[in-house]
Amino acid sequence: ARRHEGAAVGMEVFRSQTVDGVWRQAHAAVTATAERAKQPSRVGETLELLHVGFQVHDPRQRWVISRRPQINPAFAIADALWILAGSNDADIMNYWFPNLPKFAGHGPIYAGAYGHRLRKHFGVDQVKRACEALSSTPESRQVVLQFWDVLTDLPQADGAPRSADVPCNVTSMLKVRDGRLEWTQVLRSNDLYRGLPNNFVQFTLLQEVIAGWLGLEVGPYHQWSDSLHIYTDSLGAFSCAGPVSEEANADSLAVPVDQGEQLINEMYRRLTMLTAPNLGETQLSELATMDEAPVGYRNLLRVLAAESARRRGHLDQADALMADCTNPQLVQVWSGWFERVRSASVGQELPSPSRGTT
């Protein structure tokens, strides 16, 4: 990490080969602010660093392994597919994280859904246009994906939010350099414990998928978190583990764009069906079997199916599904999550929101 001189709080840049590496650095820096003045917010007191940069050299190593308690990998994967599919359907995401309405509001849709903002909200499919533009002009510096809508997201004159679900991600900037897709993600607000681990999965997964659609390698992932913070009432509930050994992700999600769009649609269809009530074990196993898909996608689907089985109380089936997963990193993050919830009631979720950074 490099501290910029002259800043009372913030202006940190964290660099590592992996997401877990930068998260550990950020955790140390934010918790070190405890001796400084606390920063109030609309929903509680925080420890805050302003203007924080991250650089991950291998974005495919996208999982925060060190957070305790460990994150739910199925929710993070479901969220990324939900974005790529352009959906704002609240029920789908509420299945994977039942506490989400507490943080993003109640209703049939989420107003700030990132995928809907990217693919439908502004009247243009920004992902499709970005791929077309970069295919035609790889050196372009004008490919900017927009989430923030001033008409719906800028606060009221008294500072009150316009919605319960105001996007924390503001924009993405895509650059092609040396045959690699580099991605820069900008967030106005970012909870280190709840939001950041899932944001890394969301946008490095988008980066890898879109790089594949463009026929490019995956370049570094950059992120700018303008307010990186921890709510002080979370300090007793979350922590950073001691040194851990990270398993590697060797899976590739690279497929041509035409095949890729069809694949995302099919993955999202199965993700949706995995939320259906009264889904039997045979049907669940059939949904988890997608032999025609590349192995990287099959492994993501196994994690989703295993979590669906776990929620239904089919713990042996969940174990069996993950026994077929050939991605050591996914097995590692799933194992941490499964141990966390093994003794919990069927369907019970533990409080770990990904989007409630306010």
Side-chain angles (χ1 to χ4, degrees):
R2 175 169 59 89
R3 181 182 296 279
H4 296 257
E5 296 299 322
V9 291
M11 294 302 292
E12 301 273 6
V13 179
F14 305 112
R15 298 182 177 90
S16 179
Q17 191 72 10
T18 71
V19 156
D20 194 66
V22 294
W23 186 88
R24 291 178 67 88
Q25 294 172 37
H27 182 273
V30 177
T31 53
T33 68
E35 299 305 316
R36 302 173 182 165
K38 306 295 192 301
Q39 174 64 33
S41 79
R42 183 176 58 86
V43 293
E45 184 180 69
T46 68
L47 305 178
E48 179 184 66
L49 284 179
L50 291 175
H51 324 311
V52 176
F54 298 93
Q55 185 177 69
V56 181
H57 299 295
D58 183 0
R60 294 191 305 158
Q61 314 311 318
R62 60 178 52 96
W63 294 95
V64 171
I65 308 295
S66 297
R67 198 200 76 168
R68 297 293 183 270
Q70 291 170 289
I71 71 169
N72 178 355
F75 174 72
I77 294 166
D79 206 358
L81 292 173
W82 191 62
I83 293 170
L84 282 164
S87 179
N88 60 1
D89 186 323
D91 286 344
I92 299 303
M93 292 313 296
N94 292 347
Y95 174 85
W96 301 101
F97 178 38
N99 282 341
L100 188 56
K102 296 179 183 178
F103 304 94
H106 299 267
I109 65 169
Y110 284 125
Y114 297 138
H116 194 269
R117 293 286 177 107
L118 284 178
R119 311 212 70 169
K120 299 174 184 177
H121 177 83
F122 294 101
V124 59
D125 185 338
Q126 297 182 70
V127 173
K128 181 179 180 181
R129 180 73 59 83
C131 289
E132 292 170 343
L134 290 173
S135 293
S136 300
T137 311
E139 68 273 16
S140 176
R141 298 188 297 266
Q142 298 180 358
V143 176
V144 178
L145 308 181
Q146 185 72 14
F147 302 92
W148 186 264
D149 182 348
V150 65
L151 295 179
T152 59
D153 300 331
L154 200 64
Q156 305 280 10
D158 64 358
R162 297 281 298 275
S163 164
D165 187 30
V166 178
C168 293
N169 286 272
V170 176
T171 192
S172 306
M173 292 177 280
L174 284 61
K175 299 284 191 301
V176 177
R177 295 294 183 269
D178 300 322
R180 302 187 301 171
L181 178 66
E182 299 205 14
W183 191 288
T184 299
Q185 192 67 23
V186 181
L187 292 89
R188 62 175 181 82
S189 177
N190 208 191
D191 184 321
L192 182 136
Y193 285 135
R194 296 180 170 94
L196 183 58
N198 291 282
N199 296 140
F200 282 141
V201 176
Q202 291 166 337
F203 293 103
T204 63
L205 199 148
L206 262 67
Q207 177 187 9
E208 184 179 359
V209 167
I210 292 174
W213 292 359
L214 292 168
L216 301 170
E217 298 296 321
V218 179
Y221 173 83
H222 313 270
Q223 183 169 308
W224 185 262
S225 297
D226 208 46
S227 168
L228 182 68
H229 52 265
I230 294 172
Y231 289 96
T232 56
D233 63 5
S234 297
L235 290 172
F238 297 94
S239 65
C240 178
V244 296
S245 177
E246 292 183 62
E247 296 289 349
N249 170 29
D251 282 351
S252 171
L253 302 177
V255 294
V257 63
D258 291 341
Q259 179 188 354
E261 289 274 29
Q262 295 174 3
L263 187 54
I264 292 300
N265 289 337
E266 178 61 19
M267 290 283 289
Y268 186 68
R269 185 186 75 83
R270 291 176 184 240
L271 178 148
T272 300
M273 294 183 69
L274 285 168
T275 71
N278 304 317
L279 188 66
E281 291 188 56
T282 299
Q283 293 171 295
L284 200 156
S285 292
E286 290 171 352
L287 288 172
T289 304
M290 196 173 174
D291 292 336
E292 69 278 14
V295 65
Y297 290 89
R298 296 203 304 268
N299 283 330
L300 294 178
L301 187 58
R302 287 184 181 106
V303 175
L304 293 168
E307 175 63 4
S308 181
R310 182 202 67 85
R311 288 184 174 277
R312 300 168 195 277
H314 308 321
L315 303 189
D316 289 342
Q317 185 179 28
D319 273 333
L321 287 163
M322 287 307 298
D324 289 334
C325 180
T326 61
N327 184 322
Q329 193 172 78
L330 285 177
V331 172
Q332 183 178 27
V333 293
W334 165 261
S335 297
W337 164 252
F338 197 38
E339 287 303 314
R340 175 186 172 187
V341 298
R342 184 182 289 272
S343 61
S345 300
V346 175
Q348 179 180 340
E349 182 61 273
L350 295 126
S352 179
S354 77
R355 301 177 69 232
T357 66
T358 71

